[in-house]
Amino acid sequence: MKRILHVNCTDAGSTGKIINQISYYLQDKFDFFLCTPKINTNNPPYLKKIRTSGKYEQALYKRITAITGYRYSCSPHSTHRIISAIRKIKPDIIHFHSANCYMANLYSILKYAKRKDIAVVITNHAEFYYTGICSHSYDCMQWVDGCKKCPDLWGQAHSLFFDTTRRAWRKMKESLYAIPRIAVVSVSPWVRERSEKSQIMNGIPQFTVFNGVDTNVFRYIAQENEVMNKHLLREKTVLFVTAMFSDSEDDAKGGKYIIQLASKLEGKAKIVIIGKYNINTKIPDNIIIKGVISDQSKLAEYYNVADVTVVASKRETFGMTVAESLCCGTPVIGFNSGGPESIALDNYSDFVSYGDVNGLYRVALKWLNRDKKAFSSEIAELAHQKYSSKFMAKGYNAIYTHLLNYGKREK
């Protein structure tokens, strides 16, 4: 069988789950491998994992990058391990996901892929492939035709001393343009629109494939009362699922706005927070923090018992929380942050301007005052048709097959 090598900064989290789902559903068509800095989860039979970084490598490369400003030009040892894996595996396609976090010299790997005529798939889980360096460019649009005088040098370029963003932009463009068989996948219509604007992606075939949700886990549970009693949630409930909850002013996940929303909802609803949290964060009495929930079935239960799920990020390219919540039959509210509003079910979601807590409060009340049971099964059915992992795998299978059969592009 043809061989696909995934390259990603982790085998866990949202991108880890996506890679696992692609490999699971397409295992009868391809052999799958994954190069990742550290192996966190079990090695399934359909996805062979290769660890590429030593214990402290990424931390070291992060410090070097803070001096040089070149985010994707360092990591010599782990880059050597990835290229050695490519030599051994001889993949027909290398699929780059979020290959950031100081895990590899992307330019060297892309150069090697060109030399060996290996097809390449790039998935825009973040923005750095089409901006050249920034994972999230927010309101800056310099990346469209070439960065210069970065307005957020430390925050985005991660350099203490040098503005290398112009050169990084050019290096990314040169590296991707050199690949004769390449496809770029965006995870939402919003991301694809931005990717197509970038001169880095000029002439490269572009596709959109939504991130997949395991609909065997994230589904509507008709016995909602039993689940509510299990988790002792008998009041109106707003759910907030996040990587980190904090009241910090620079928290991109919007924790401070959730605290403000909770104050407005005092006496009307509880807010349940799932995720890591800063123990020093001061919170209102109607916020319940559950911490990290690794059990996906248990997480799905919380989606089910909530009356509405809220997202408050400054920027998201997709919004897995949105898809998971809707698959469980629960409507979504949030700030306009890019991906979420472009992938959500319009009739069962409401988004307001970023930072508009009053607007968020109004749409929260709208859904809290409705009987969710009347439409939960309909939401879940529509969501399963849109976000299922099988549908995602079908999209990638079409792209892989196209590259292997017809893939060369005209330059």
Side-chain angles (χ1 to χ4, degrees), residues 17 217-218 274-275 290-300:
K17 286 193 289 186
V217 175
F218 294 96
I274 294 174
K290 293 293 183 178
V292 176
I293 295 178
S294 300
D295 185 335
Q296 298 296 285
S297 296
K298 188 175 180 181
L299 177 59

Side-chain angles (χ1 to χ4, degrees), residues 177-231:
Y177 186 76
I179 306 295
R181 292 187 295 148
I182 185 171
V184 170
V185 179
S186 293
V187 297
S188 69
W190 178 83
V191 172
R192 178 168 175 173
E193 182 181 352
R194 288 167 72 82
S195 182
E196 289 177 337
K197 287 179 180 178
S198 175
Q199 290 300 307
I200 288 176
M201 298 295 182
N202 188 33
I204 298 177
Q206 305 262 344
F207 302 88
T208 304
V209 179
F210 283 2
N211 290 336
V213 173
D214 185 348
T215 51
N216 293 317
V217 175
F218 294 96
R219 58 187 178 82
Y220 172 56
I221 302 172
Q223 297 81 15
E224 184 181 316
N225 289 336
E226 295 178 18
V227 180
M228 290 179 71
N229 291 331
K230 177 180 176 181
H231 297 294

